[in-house]
Amino acid sequence: MKKKISGRAYVLGNNIDTDQIIPAQHLVYSLSDPEESKNYGKFALSGVPAEAAGLPQGNKPFVEDGYQSPYTIVIGGKNFGCGSSREHAPACMEIAGVQAVIAESYARIFYRNSVDGGFFIPLETKDPLTDKVQTGDELEIDLETSTLTNTTQNVTHPLQPLGDVIDIIEAGNIFEYARKSGLIQSN
């Protein structure tokens, strides 16, 4: 696992739900088929209303062409990932290239799906960042110091430490963690 994550920011607001992350009409593709699963990346965050997509200006699509986004760090507000418990929501973000999401809070099932599936690193912040970071800003996350540095603005923000989930994240997903811990047998 990388201890530092760098990339461009994509900023959203509060209550981003799983239907906004991956609209239900796009849940028809196979996650196990490498070519077909690219459609999940293509439609990642496509349900976010245009005026709330890519704040502060809005009207910035997360993915413009293909299935990879130029934005690898998503900044959200409160209650990120609320709604249904579908695993497709964090999976589509990973397929689109998301490496980390930083939010004030998460729907717990979304948070656990993100960690357990090894899709991306979900980080939390006590301080709202949606009004401090702009879409397109260059960011660097340091997991060892639990900080986010906005290199565009030359400002550093504290993040909450990952805590106990770090072992699962470092292993890659919940199953790899269970194998390495001896909880299930290796193949």
Side-chain angles (χ1 to χ4, degrees), residues 171-187:
N173 63 49
I174 192 75
F175 293 108
E176 290 304 315
Y177 169 76
R179 282 184 192 92
K180 290 178 181 180
S181 301
L183 298 172
I184 60 175
Q185 290 184 354
S186 296
N187 295 340

Side-chain angles (χ1 to χ4, degrees), residues 10 12 15-16 20 45-55 58-60:
Y10 191 78
L12 300 166
N15 302 309
I16 298 300
Q20 292 172 325
L45 296 174
S46 64
V48 176
E51 66 277 2
L55 298 175
N59 296 300
K60 289 189 181 184

Side-chain angles (χ1 to χ4, degrees), residues 70-125:
Y71 309 103
T72 57
I73 300 172
V74 173
I75 304 294
K78 297 176 183 171
N79 203 25
F80 193 93
C82 57
S84 71
S85 61
R86 63 180 72 135
E87 185 179 82
H88 297 78
C92 80
M93 294 176 71
E94 178 194 37
I95 293 166
V98 172
Q99 296 179 40
V101 174
I102 302 171
E104 290 174 66
S105 65
Y106 292 88
R108 287 292 110 190
I109 190 72
F110 181 86
Y111 182 88
R112 286 310 308 198
N113 280 342
S114 301
V115 170
D116 293 350
F119 297 114
F120 55 80
I121 300 174
L123 295 150
E124 292 181 292
T125 175

